[in-house]
């Protein structure tokens, strides 16, 4: 992107602020925000929010290192959590409703992993029951938690959230999204 993706504005709020607002509106608690590259520039966007911000010093090792840093911080908070929702801030269509639907599927299906589904595949955001924490903490590299979807297919439920197929990885993605957004009504938090 050439600049911190987390700070890209969408309708007056950064991608990071939009993700934090969605999580808080979904009544998820506690909330851990993992910062990595350019954390000093991004940290002010988190201040004043009822979240725990942690710095992933190993961010160059890939997404799995951020999952480990977030879980470590989450485990240090009390009381212990029943499950964790892992999400990325580069999905600009993320809403509190999407997060709530994952939690409802977790409660209703008895499955230990619940992932968003779009373009025919499970992906983030995804909810993992406590029994998967050790396995999440053992992940390495850039692929994130996707290996658990395959490894535990019988324990996986999905929620159709096609709007979350949009993620912003390049300046062109961002420009297209902003241009398209000006032609539609705003979404909820």
């Amino acid at each position: 992107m050439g600049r911190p993706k987390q700070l890209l504005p969408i309708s007056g709020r950064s991608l990071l602020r939009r993700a934090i607002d969605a999580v808080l509106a979904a009544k998820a608690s506690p909330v851990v925000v993992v910062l990595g590259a350019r954390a000093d520039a991004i940290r002010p966007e988190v201040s004043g929010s009822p979240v725990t911000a942690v710095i992933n010093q190993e961010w160059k090792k890939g997404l799995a290192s951020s999952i480990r840093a977030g879980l470590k911080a989450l485990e240090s908070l009390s009381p212990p959590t029943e499950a964790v929702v892992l999400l990325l801030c580069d999905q600009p269509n993320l809403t509190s409703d999407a997060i709530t639907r994952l939690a409802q599927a977790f409660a209703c299906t008895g499955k230990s992993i619940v992932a968003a589904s779009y373009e025919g595949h499970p992906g983030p955001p995804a909810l993992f029951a406590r029994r998967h924490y050790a396995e999440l903490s053992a992940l390495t590299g850039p692929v994130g938690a996707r290996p658990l979807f395959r490894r535990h297919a019988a324990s996986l439920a999905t929620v159709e959230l096609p709007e979350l197929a949009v993620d912003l990885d390049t300046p062109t993605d961002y420009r297209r999204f902003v241009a398209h957004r000006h032609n539609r009504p705003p979404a909820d938090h």
Side-chain angles (χ1 to χ4, degrees):
M1 283 289 185
R3 58 183 168 156
K5 182 190 308 192
Q6 299 89 333
L7 299 179
L8 292 174
I10 305 282
S11 300
R13 290 184 298 152
S14 71
L15 284 171
L16 180 57
R17 171 58 46 203
R18 293 169 60 80
I20 290 170
D21 290 349
V23 171
L24 294 174
K27 307 290 189 227
S29 178
V31 178
V32 175
V33 176
V34 180
L35 305 175
R38 308 192 56 193
D40 290 340
I42 300 165
R43 186 184 286 272
E45 195 66 13
V46 178
S47 64
S49 296
V51 303
T52 300
V54 297
I55 307 292
N56 173 15
Q57 300 294 345
E58 298 183 339
W59 60 269
K60 288 181 182 178
K61 294 182 178 179
L63 183 56
S65 67
S66 290
I67 293 170
R68 286 192 306 274
L71 277 174
K72 183 178 179 182
L74 183 66
E75 290 290 79
S76 72
L77 302 172
S78 59
T81 59
E82 178 182 354
V84 62
V85 176
L86 303 179
L87 59 91
L88 308 170
C89 77
D90 69 351
Q91 292 177 297
N93 292 326
L94 177 71
T95 64
S96 61
D97 180 63
I99 298 163
T100 299
R101 289 178 60 197
L102 294 175
Q104 289 169 338
F106 177 67
C108 294
T109 65
K111 300 291 185 175
S112 60
I113 302 173
V114 180
S117 179
Y118 38 86
E119 297 179 346
H121 303 286
L127 182 151
F128 296 87
R130 170 172 280 287
R131 74 180 182 113
H132 297 290
Y133 287 12
E135 202 171 0
L136 287 167
S137 294
L139 292 169
T140 60
V143 295
R146 283 191 196 277
L148 276 73
F149 299 155
R150 289 185 297 275
R151 196 174 304 139
H152 300 288
S155 299
L156 172 67
T158 59
V159 176
E160 286 296 321
L161 294 164
E163 67 277 13
L164 296 183
V166 175
D167 70 342
L168 306 180
D169 291 327
T170 67
T172 301
D173 293 342
Y174 175 66
R175 284 191 301 274
R176 280 186 191 142
F177 181 81
V178 171
H180 176 71
R181 184 161 184 84
H182 289 296
N183 296 324
R184 67 179 183 152
D188 75 340
H189 293 254

